[in-house]
Amino acid sequence: MSEHALMSDPGTTGRFGDYGGRYVPESLIPACHEIEAAFRDAWADPGFRDRLTTLLTVYAGRPTPLTPARRLSRELGITLLLKREDLTHTGSHKINNVVGQALLAQRMGRRRLLAETGAGQHGVATATAAALLGLEATVFMGERDIERQELNVLRMNVLGAEVVPVTSGSRTLKDACNEAMRHWVASVGDSYYCVGSVMGPHPYPWMVREFQRVIGEEARAQCAAELPAAVPDYVVACIGGGSNAAGTFAGFVGTTARLVGVEAHGGAAATSGRSGVLHGFRSLVLQDDDGQVREAHSIAAGLDYPGIGPEHAHLRDDGRARYATVTDDEVVSALVRLARTEGILAALESSHALAWVIRAAESGGIAPGSTVLLTLSGRGDKDIASIRELL
């Protein structure tokens, strides 16, 4: 891909450089083709786009504001702007993608949504959209994540979704993805697999990025109105699979802004992974010397994933984006610091991005006076039990 084509339509092969593609059982190939055709048709339909925009406005609460973090900015010697996805309905960026996919599922005549979830936010968004549109929802969630995200499990149950505990493997997001895909194979005729991030077989990485592009497009216009230079020096977001980062980066990939994705130290596929196939796509994956997938670790359930979206792997190889890691201790410190300087309790996932900004600003990695846009992907209510233990 040439630079001008970055974050555009990957074509029918679904390839981002060496990554992406469609590595699924033969029985799922027709389903993937059907979803791609349906999405292309819907995305070209003004009526579909208008309905999505209306729901994101009157139901999800878009546009989300750009909040200057004034006290923290003074402490760090930079201008820090927060893109407030935590203020959407359900409390994270996940609603942008899920409403889009739920509308697509309804358009395709599907009656049930299948989903995987780690931190529970994608599961909550899926249950929410299903209730809104009169669909059924089945959410697969690792047993370990169910224990540390009890509030979100309750929210899904109240919304009418079936939450299926996954007891295999590490009992986290990777294993929930495995079970969701197995179930999809067996129920492809009446179910739609609502993937939560920019991962999975084509067209999901591209389609999810397009549904999340609203974050970057809004932020680009807001920065143009807020900043003398119109474009921030840095655009930063946390990375697990990477949907909030992909949506944010899509609005700035053609500008001079430096794009930075921040991973958990124990789940650093972009910085420590090798090319491999996982959950239907080729990307950078944590592997041992025998090519077996290694378990990821993060205090944030939503980042506990051993791979990264294929487009992020391509952006890394291309040099357009850089990827960094932070430790659990840095994350907790950043969460508390934002809460006490700005009165904003961010999700543990989002706090990874903030931890990198704090470290870079205090070490000189970000020059004094720089402008930084940070996507605050979700709110921290769901993490209160974990935060209590960590503190």
Side-chain angles (χ1 to χ4, degrees), residues 177-390:
C177 291
N178 290 340
E179 290 303 318
M181 291 197 76
R182 288 193 191 103
H183 197 82
W184 187 30
V185 170
S187 61
V188 69
D190 67 348
S191 299
Y192 176 96
Y193 184 16
C194 184
V195 174
S197 193
V198 284
M199 60 191 195
H202 178 62
Y204 284 105
W206 165 56
M207 178 170 65
V208 175
R209 181 249 286 163
E210 287 303 281
F211 284 138
Q212 293 291 6
R213 182 184 285 270
V214 64
I215 303 172
E217 291 181 344
E218 282 181 10
R220 175 79 181 273
Q222 290 166 327
C223 285
E226 179 79 16
L227 300 173
V231 175
D233 297 311
Y234 293 85
V235 173
V236 187
C238 65
I239 296 271
S243 64
N244 89 92
T248 304
F249 291 177
F252 293 91
V253 71
T255 73
T256 58
R258 300 173 190 175
L259 310 180
V260 182
V262 185
E263 301 179 285
H265 182 71
T271 49
S272 304
R274 292 180 290 175
S275 182
V277 173
L278 178 68
H279 297 138
F281 65 103
R282 177 173 291 281
S283 189
L284 296 171
V285 181
L286 295 177
Q287 304 172 64
D288 63 21
D289 292 338
D290 297 320
Q292 297 300 307
V293 176
R294 290 196 290 116
E295 301 294 351
H297 163 75
S298 173
I299 56 172
L303 304 188
D304 214 347
Y305 188 69
I308 193 169
E311 192 162 28
H312 284 297
H314 178 58
L315 288 171
R316 189 205 72 162
D317 286 2
D318 185 80
R320 182 60 190 92
R322 63 169 290 198
Y323 297 84
T325 67
V326 292
T327 66
D328 290 353
D329 287 345
E330 288 178 300
V331 171
V332 175
S333 176
L335 183 151
V336 172
R337 191 164 178 182
L338 182 67
R340 294 179 180 177
T341 56
E342 303 296 337
I344 297 172
L345 181 60
L348 284 168
E349 288 80 9
S350 311
S351 299
H352 282 68
L354 181 63
W356 179 84
V357 170
I358 292 172
R359 183 216 293 162
E362 293 184 338
S363 67
I366 295 177
S370 296
T371 53
V372 179
L373 169 73
L374 185 152
T375 295
L376 207 63
S377 59
R379 65 180 185 232
D381 307 42
K382 66 182 179 59
D383 297 316
I384 287 297
S386 296
I387 293 167
R388 180 177 56 204
E389 293 179 11
L390 292 165

Side-chain angles (χ1 to χ4, degrees), residues 116-140:
E116 81 295 324
T117 196
Q121 290 300 101
H122 177 58
V124 169
T126 300
T128 299
L132 175 68
L133 299 180
L135 304 172
E136 297 175 21
T138 300
V139 180
F140 295 85

Side-chain angles (χ1 to χ4, degrees), residues 117-118 140-150 153 163-173 175-176:
T117 196
F140 295 85
M141 190 171 188
E143 195 174 53
R144 181 165 175 251
D145 292 335
I146 287 176
E147 292 169 359
R148 56 181 173 172
Q149 296 294 338
E150 183 179 1
V153 175
V163 180
V164 180
V166 177
T167 59
S168 59
S170 61
R171 300 174 296 135
T172 56
L173 180 57
D175 311 291

Side-chain angles (χ1 to χ4, degrees), residues 75-156:
E75 290 183 6
L76 298 177
I78 62 174
T79 297
L80 177 60
L81 303 174
L82 306 175
K83 180 59 174 165
R84 300 292 305 280
E85 294 304 292
D86 59 314
L87 295 181
T88 61
H89 179 46
T90 72
S92 83
H93 67 292
K94 296 294 187 180
I95 195 71
N96 307 322
N97 165 51
V98 170
V99 169
Q101 287 199 65
L103 287 174
L104 183 65
Q106 188 180 61
R107 184 183 176 102
M108 295 173 67
R110 300 296 190 265
R111 65 178 183 80
R112 183 169 66 138
L113 301 180
L114 304 176
E116 81 295 324
T117 196
Q121 290 300 101
H122 177 58
V124 169
T126 300
T128 299
L132 175 68
L133 299 180
L135 304 172
E136 297 175 21
T138 300
V139 180
F140 295 85
M141 190 171 188
E143 195 174 53
R144 181 165 175 251
D145 292 335
I146 287 176
E147 292 169 359
R148 56 181 173 172
Q149 296 294 338
E150 183 179 1
L151 174 61
N152 275 344
V153 175
L154 176 59
R155 293 169 74 192
M156 286 182 266

